[in-house]
Amino acid sequence: MTQHLTHAGLPADLTRWQLLRLVESARRPLGLSKGAVGYLRHAIGLTTDGDFAKGRICAFWASVTEIAASLSMERRQITRIEAELIERGLIHKSSTNRSRRSGHRLHGVIRHEFGINLAPLIGRAREIQALAQRAMQEQVAAKALRKQINKLFERIRGLGCDEAELAADAVLPNHRPSTIQSFQRLRQVAAALEAVLADFSADAGGGEMSHQCDISTLPNTNPDQIDKTCRAENRAARQPIRTTPAQTWLLASERFREYLAFYAAGLGSGRAPDEQCFVMAARDLAMNIGISTRAWRQSCEILGEARTALCLLIADRNACRHDDFRVRDAAAAFVGMVRKEARQGAVVDTLVGELTAFSRGCGYV
């Protein structure tokens, strides 16, 4: 019995080593480990240029032990890598009835083989080329985005506004875009920081205009007016929470409920999560979605723990929505809500009412 698995050949503008370089560039889109790429490099080295011509068999039949020795790996590592490449649709493996690999060349042409066949890899050459080109374009764009993100952090710090820095912390707590490998995530972070900068820059501009106007007017000595700003900053923390623990449970997302259930388990059977459970569950979820400990602590100092937890509940629920009001980044939405609540007050109560109505409409309440 012989094994034949021919292929249609490489595109005319590609050599086998160019194909390998494309695989290296497209490693992440292809979902390959570095070990798998190293294996393919060794595999291509065991073939000839003629093996990649149309109608030929492109294969090798080195044993697992031989390959492991050549790559300074363990046999089980090679077995895992071959399974990975088969799963990714890049190689085909066969063996004799005795589970051995063998093959035969005649005048440089493979006549039969039982081993590792590269026909699937060759058949996907154009697809791999497109993936590699896109990956290289994204690498260039990612480098520019990382520089942009660093500059945005500098500009936000330059505003001298604690709230702006709090919002930036929620977007990327470690301030290190180099740790982000996903191109889409880099774009999201840059867009979020642009929004933070634009928002707080507008606020700063508004403050400067107000200052210029005040120069030409007499000071307002009305005690009520003087105290208005101070009262606005603390109004949110003083207003009572208008939700019960049972309502909180109904409004919470599925993942929020998991945290609530964990803390409620310590209260005894049949008891609904109390406010302390709600606060602790919200804190844990906040850490899980990328809100830094510093950002959470500052938010609690501004609004109080219960109202801060409500802000997170609303942001998290809105991230789980499936309509036009869905938010993409729960952490950024949370920071924005805390800031607005600190300035305006009663924002959370209004949003809870809207969210309750939404939940009723979707059958949640």
Side-chain angles (χ1 to χ4, degrees):
M1 177 181 177
T2 58
Q3 167 70 19
H4 295 288
L5 188 59
T6 59
H7 56 82
L10 276 178
D13 57 340
L14 287 180
T15 67
R16 56 178 174 147
W17 296 114
Q18 288 174 332
L19 175 61
L20 174 63
R21 286 194 289 273
L22 293 176
V23 170
E24 292 172 341
S25 297
R27 181 178 71 83
R28 291 185 184 278
L30 287 170
L32 296 178
S33 64
K34 291 182 179 179
V37 173
Y39 178 98
L40 288 177
R41 184 182 301 109
H42 180 69
I44 290 176
L46 294 175
T47 62
T48 67
D49 289 335
D51 293 341
F52 288 80
K54 182 179 180 180
R56 295 285 190 88
I57 298 174
C58 184
F60 63 95
W61 42 91
S63 69
V64 172
T65 301
E66 292 170 337
I67 298 172
S70 298
L71 296 178
S72 300
M73 293 183 179
E74 299 291 334
R75 282 175 49 89
R76 61 178 180 274
Q77 290 178 281
I78 299 301
T79 301
R80 284 198 297 266
I81 288 173
E82 290 182 350
E84 175 187 343
L85 290 169
I86 292 171
E87 181 182 356
R88 301 300 181 191
L90 295 175
I91 65 172
H92 176 80
K93 183 169 73 171
S94 62
S95 61
T96 65
N97 293 333
R98 295 183 179 182
S99 299
R100 293 182 178 180
R101 298 178 179 180
S102 65
H104 176 66
R105 282 184 183 272
L106 181 62
H107 304 303
V109 178
I110 297 176
R111 298 303 183 183
H112 74 268
E113 59 84 16
F114 286 97
I116 303 299
N117 194 300
L118 301 182
L121 173 67
I122 296 170
R124 296 180 61 184
R126 284 303 187 199
E127 176 193 350
I128 293 171
Q129 185 177 35
L131 288 174
Q133 290 173 346
R134 188 176 70 183
M136 288 185 285
Q137 291 170 354
E138 287 187 355
Q139 286 178 1
V140 174
K143 185 176 181 179
L145 279 173
R146 291 188 177 97
K147 289 183 178 179
Q148 179 187 356
I149 289 170
N150 286 327
K151 289 181 179 179
L152 285 169
F153 273 120
E154 291 177 4
R155 294 177 64 185
I156 290 171
R157 283 194 297 269
L159 295 175
C161 176
D162 290 341
E163 291 182 356
E165 292 189 31
L166 181 66
D169 285 347
V171 175
L172 186 61
N174 64 7
H175 290 209
R176 294 173 58 192
S178 60
T179 61
I180 302 176
Q181 301 303 320
S182 168
F183 178 69
Q184 294 302 322
R185 175 59 179 157
L186 283 170
R187 292 180 60 182
Q188 292 172 358
V189 169
L193 290 176
E194 287 278 12
V196 170
L197 180 63
D199 192 4
F200 285 95
S201 294
D203 291 343
E208 291 173 0
M209 290 176 61
S210 175
H211 174 67
Q212 294 298 325
C213 293
D214 286 344
I215 292 175
S216 60
T217 59
L218 293 175
N220 188 342
T221 58
N222 186 331
D224 292 337
Q225 186 66 29
I226 291 175
D227 192 47
K228 182 177 180 180
T229 302
C230 295
R231 286 187 286 110
E233 292 178 352
N234 297 314
R235 179 172 50 191
R238 293 199 303 265
Q239 288 181 343
I241 302 298
R242 300 177 183 175
T243 56
T244 66
Q247 289 173 324
T248 298
W249 176 267
L250 290 172
L251 290 173
S253 67
E254 289 299 324
R255 64 179 176 181
F256 203 142
R257 288 181 183 180
E258 291 179 4
Y259 288 94
L260 283 171
F262 173 78
Y263 284 106
L267 300 177
S269 178
R271 292 188 59 184
D274 58 17
E275 184 175 300
Q276 189 60 30
C277 291
F278 175 44
V279 169
M280 291 189 294
R283 179 201 59 197
D284 287 358
L285 177 58
M287 303 304 108
N288 188 49
I289 64 175
I291 298 171
S292 66
T293 302
R294 172 174 172 266
W296 181 260
R297 183 174 62 252
Q298 290 182 351
S299 299
C300 290
E301 290 173 357
I302 295 170
L303 300 182
E305 290 184 338
R307 191 163 288 272
T308 299
L310 267 180
C311 286
L312 184 71
L313 178 144
I314 295 167
D316 180 56
R317 167 56 79 181
N318 283 339
C320 297
R321 294 173 72 153
H322 300 286
D323 56 15
D324 294 338
F325 297 99
R326 178 179 178 271
V327 299
R328 293 184 178 181
D329 191 330
F334 164 78
V335 172
M337 193 173 301
V338 169
R339 179 169 55 83
K340 291 180 181 179
E341 178 71 3
R343 292 180 178 180
Q344 302 174 21
V347 172
V348 167
D349 288 333
T350 301
L351 289 174
V352 167
E354 294 176 358
L355 196 55
T356 303
F358 161 76
S359 298
R360 287 198 186 100
C362 294
Y364 294 124
V365 179

